[in-house]
Amino acid sequence: MHHLLLSLATTPTPLPTPTLREGISEDQVTPGLLGFIMTAFFVVATALLIVDMVRRIRRVRYRAQVEEDRMAAAAAADVEAAEAAEAGASGQQARGGAAQGTADDGTDPAQDQRP
């Protein structure tokens, strides 16, 4: 086995012939004008698809960022509204409790009602 591998590794390869075999023309082994046009078409189409995909991905990222900003602003507005309502309710309770707690003569207005 080692002799076979050694002989394959050391056996020189034949030199390639500089000309084509008999019966084959150069047009039969090269892609020609049609091959060039098709290759160029695929390269241009691939480049256009890549540019379009990058544009779409950028648009999706931008929309997601705008949506996140909008949601954060809405959440902040909700928190501010809740804090304002809480502060307003506690302030009104403090003012309302003092105003409703006693009448001018020192009696409770709830007790002053007559049936």
Side-chain angles (χ1 to χ4, degrees):
M1 178 80 170
H2 294 287
H3 295 290
L4 178 63
L5 290 175
L6 185 59
S7 65
L8 287 175
T10 57
T11 306
T13 58
L15 296 174
T17 56
T19 60
L20 297 173
R21 288 185 294 157
E22 293 181 27
I24 297 178
S25 69
E26 192 172 320
D27 292 338
Q28 293 174 332
V29 293
T30 61
L33 181 63
L34 182 61
F36 173 75
I37 291 172
M38 291 302 294
T39 303
F41 170 75
F42 284 119
V43 167
V44 169
T46 303
L48 291 175
L49 285 173
I50 290 170
V51 168
D52 184 54
M53 185 58 69
V54 167
R55 186 180 306 139
R56 288 175 188 264
I57 290 172
R58 195 174 291 146
R59 188 179 309 147
V60 167
R61 284 184 183 167
Y62 177 73
R63 285 181 181 169
Q65 182 182 7
V66 167
E67 183 67 19
E68 286 177 7
D69 292 344
R70 188 186 67 78
M71 294 296 286
D78 289 345
V79 168
E80 288 177 8
E83 288 175 355
E86 184 179 302
S90 65
Q92 192 166 13
Q93 284 178 350
R95 280 184 274 132
Q100 292 178 355
T102 58
D104 291 335
D105 59 354
T107 61
D108 192 7
Q111 293 176 353
D112 194 33
Q113 294 177 357
R114 296 186 185 135

